[in-house]
Amino acid sequence: MTNEQTAIKTTYFSIIGNTSLALIKGFAGVFGNSYALIADAIESTTDIFSSLLVLFGLKYAKRPADDNHPYGHGKIEPLITFLVVAFLVLSASIIAHESIQNIKTPHKVPEPWTLIVLGCIILWKEISYRIVIKKSKETHSSSLKADAWHHRSDAITSVMAFIGISIALIFGKGFETADDWAALFAAVFILYNSYLIFRPALGEIMDEHLYDDLLEEIRLQAVKVQGVLGTEKCFIRKAGMKYHVDLHAIVDGAISVKEGHDIAHNLKDFLRSEIPNLGHVLVHIEPNE
């Protein structure tokens, strides 16, 4: 299974999970008198739409290179990540606004059974996070990583809701708004996570160098090719799940242009075979002194 297929399959997992949890949280929040759970349901609903965006981005990024997009369509991934972050910020804003409104309005203490629902949700969302983040690392997908952090932020907001409801139940009258304060705190945490997701995606779209480990691997593999004496400049930029490389290879200055050309092709083919996530590899031949 290719990286693209793995990422798409993982996104379907997120969509199904978020849809189920949004319904469970919504019903539990309404019938259990817990705005923290309703806030959780709102976030899970936005998660559904963000996961659909990720799915669209992954499928679009799979399109092969064409005349107008010689490097492929992978740059849509960080753009989709920006939209996912926008959904996170929107959900955090809605949760914060509604939390403040509910803090001002007297209401009943949440039902004790909502804690059982939250406990199950926390466990499931943390498992989901670990599954999706593992797949994002395997596929080098920035949008899938953003989707994984949706699961983690959802787990954290559920933990906050659990704490808030527990306080309201233990201390009783006067602490009815504890779960609303928990939802407000969760909104701040979601905004913080939004920045953590946004920053690397911005680096990707700006071709920021963030790939020292890959650069070192390219240099180590390059000198294994016959005729390559060493490497000089090496630039890497990411587009989708592929890394495009500009590499300056040092060769014997006395060889012919044809021999240098053959070494460049051999080096390109070798690097792409040894490092499967490489896309375009442009080799510039430098003569040794």
Side-chain angles (χ1 to χ4, degrees):
M1 186 180 293
T2 65
N3 283 346
E4 289 81 3
Q5 291 171 327
T6 300
I8 289 171
K9 186 177 179 181
T10 305
T11 306
Y12 279 120
F13 166 79
S14 292
I15 292 170
I16 294 170
N18 288 331
T19 302
S20 302
L21 286 180
L23 292 171
I24 293 170
K25 291 175 183 178
F27 282 116
V30 171
F31 292 106
N33 303 316
S34 170
Y35 183 71
L37 262 174
I38 295 173
D40 248 1
I42 292 171
E43 188 191 0
S44 289
T45 302
T46 61
D47 286 352
I48 296 168
F49 290 104
S50 65
S51 292
L52 287 171
L53 277 173
V54 171
L55 181 63
F56 166 77
L58 291 172
K59 288 193 172 184
Y60 187 88
K62 276 181 63 179
R63 294 184 178 185
D66 54 37
D67 291 340
N68 291 328
H69 306 88
Y71 289 94
H73 299 77
K75 282 293 184 183
I76 195 171
E77 268 221 77
L79 296 177
I80 290 295
T81 302
F82 294 155
L83 291 176
V84 171
V85 169
F87 269 103
L88 272 174
V89 172
L90 176 63
S91 66
S93 301
I94 293 171
I95 291 170
H97 177 267
E98 293 299 323
S99 296
I100 293 170
Q101 294 301 113
N102 276 270
I103 288 169
K104 296 177 182 178
T105 307
H107 57 79
K108 297 179 182 178
V109 174
E111 296 291 339
W113 55 264
T114 56
L115 291 176
I116 299 173
V117 175
L118 276 168
C120 295
I121 289 170
I122 292 166
L123 181 62
W124 173 248
K125 293 305 288 187
E126 183 60 23
I127 292 171
S128 298
Y129 165 78
R130 292 178 182 275
I131 291 171
V132 179
I133 198 69
K134 180 182 178 182
K135 296 299 182 182
S136 75
K137 291 176 180 177
E138 290 175 2
T139 59
H140 304 275
S141 170
S142 59
S143 58
L144 204 57
K145 181 181 179 181
D147 207 35
W149 273 101
H150 264 291
H151 291 296
R152 171 55 66 83
S153 65
D154 212 2
I156 296 298
T157 55
S158 295
V159 169
M160 293 301 103
F162 190 97
I163 294 171
I165 292 172
S166 297
I167 292 172
L169 289 171
I170 292 170
F171 294 99
K173 187 173 177 59
F175 289 86
E176 296 90 347
T177 60
D179 73 320
D180 301 312
W181 282 103
L184 185 60
F185 182 83
V188 175
F189 183 83
I190 293 169
L191 288 174
Y192 173 68
N193 268 338
S194 298
Y195 170 75
L196 295 181
I197 296 168
F198 173 82
R199 183 60 187 85
L202 178 63
E204 185 174 330
I205 206 76
M206 294 294 292
D207 289 332
E208 183 179 356
H209 176 68
L210 303 167
Y211 318 110
D212 285 330
D213 291 344
L214 178 58
L215 187 149
E216 187 62 29
E217 185 179 2
I218 289 171
R219 292 193 186 281
L220 288 173
Q221 295 294 340
V223 294
K224 295 179 182 179
V225 175
Q226 186 175 357
V228 177
L229 304 179
T231 56
E232 199 181 58
K233 297 175 184 175
C234 183
F235 303 119
I236 302 171
R237 55 195 177 92
K238 187 171 180 285
M241 301 178 206
K242 297 292 185 183
Y243 297 89
H244 303 306
V245 180
D246 295 336
L247 177 65
H248 288 221
I250 301 172
V251 301
D252 184 352
I255 64 175
S256 67
V257 173
K258 175 68 167 58
E259 288 174 310
H261 175 80
D262 291 341
I263 290 172
H265 270 279
N266 291 339
L267 176 55
K268 172 185 174 180
D269 293 341
F270 181 76
L271 289 176
R272 294 186 68 179
S273 66
E274 294 298 311
I275 310 173
N277 293 316
L278 295 188
H280 286 271
V281 178
L282 178 63
V283 178
H284 177 81
I285 295 298
E286 293 277 1
N288 67 337
E289 297 298 330

